[in-house]
Amino acid sequence: MTLGGGGTTQVAYGDKWYWEKRYAQEPGSYDWYQTYHSLAPLLRLYVHPHHRVLVVGCGNSDMNMDVRDMSAFEAGSFDAIIDKGVYLQCGNDSMINAAQMLAEVCRVLKDEGKYILITYGAPVQRLHLLRDSCSLTVKLHVIDKVQSTGSSHQQKWELTSPIASDKDVSSVESVLGPNPGVHYIYVCVKDNTLESRHKAQINY
């Protein structure tokens, strides 16, 4: 299964061979979805020096791990998990894979730990899945896709200010407008009380 990029173009984001070929063409390191410099103000807001942090996604490194099975880590091991483009809803069994990954993310996060997802995936595709998959509350931030190194460049969106997001994402669309040209950053906070409330409602 491939993900359409518009028109007749098909990109095999869900296939391993695509990424092997893609990284073979890169002469050096490559940052997906923004550089550290552009994301630093937001990361400093949510991730602190004493935090234990897991960065998922190894690119073409020999250090690889299946994010659907992070059994090497005990439950509640991390204060924060940073994900730049790993959570992709494409390829064969994409929804199953995404659900398995989120379950593992929630398992290895401490209570009140943060899962920070930087992605091209719009709220209409992501918000309900993040909210419904496990005990997560979600804040949405955005950042312009095109970054300028010139000091005169002004960002259209304030990175550290979350965008209002309701259950049906209509408020997000009304604020951002169509084709906003941004990367979406979902800051998901693990809240164990949500699961307790959900179980209580089922048993009521």
Side-chain angles (χ1 to χ4, degrees), residues 18-79:
Y18 169 83
W19 296 107
E20 296 289 351
K21 181 178 178 181
R22 176 69 174 79
Y23 282 117
Q25 295 169 350
E26 287 296 330
S29 62
Y30 180 80
D31 266 307
W32 295 97
Y33 308 122
Q34 310 291 325
T35 63
Y36 170 75
H37 177 75
S38 65
L39 294 171
L42 184 72
L43 295 177
R44 292 191 192 108
L45 193 64
Y46 292 108
V47 183
H48 304 296
H50 66 278
H51 281 171
R52 190 173 188 214
V53 180
L54 173 66
V55 180
V56 293
C58 59
N60 57 352
S61 168
D62 289 330
M63 295 180 62
N64 56 68
M65 176 182 63
D66 188 339
V67 291
R68 297 167 300 177
D69 177 11
M70 295 191 279
S71 53
F73 302 122
E74 295 181 0
S77 294
F78 297 99
D79 299 281

Side-chain angles (χ1 to χ4, degrees), residues 155-192:
Q155 296 294 318
K156 184 177 179 181
W157 307 101
E158 173 54 51
L159 175 61
T160 56
S161 298
I163 303 293
S165 56
D166 58 19
K167 289 290 183 183
D168 61 6
V169 305
S170 60
S171 61
V172 179
E173 294 176 350
S174 65
V175 171
L176 297 178
N179 304 313
V182 298
H183 286 129
Y184 301 94
I185 305 173
Y186 301 91
V187 179
C188 311
V189 182
K190 182 178 177 181
D191 183 352
N192 286 334

Side-chain angles (χ1 to χ4, degrees), residues 2 13 49 63 74-75 77 94 100 124 141 156 162 168 176 181 204:
T2 57
Y13 291 131
M63 295 180 62
E74 295 181 0
S77 294
S94 60
Q100 289 174 340
V124 68
H141 296 257
K156 184 177 179 181
D168 61 6
L176 297 178
Y204 179 71

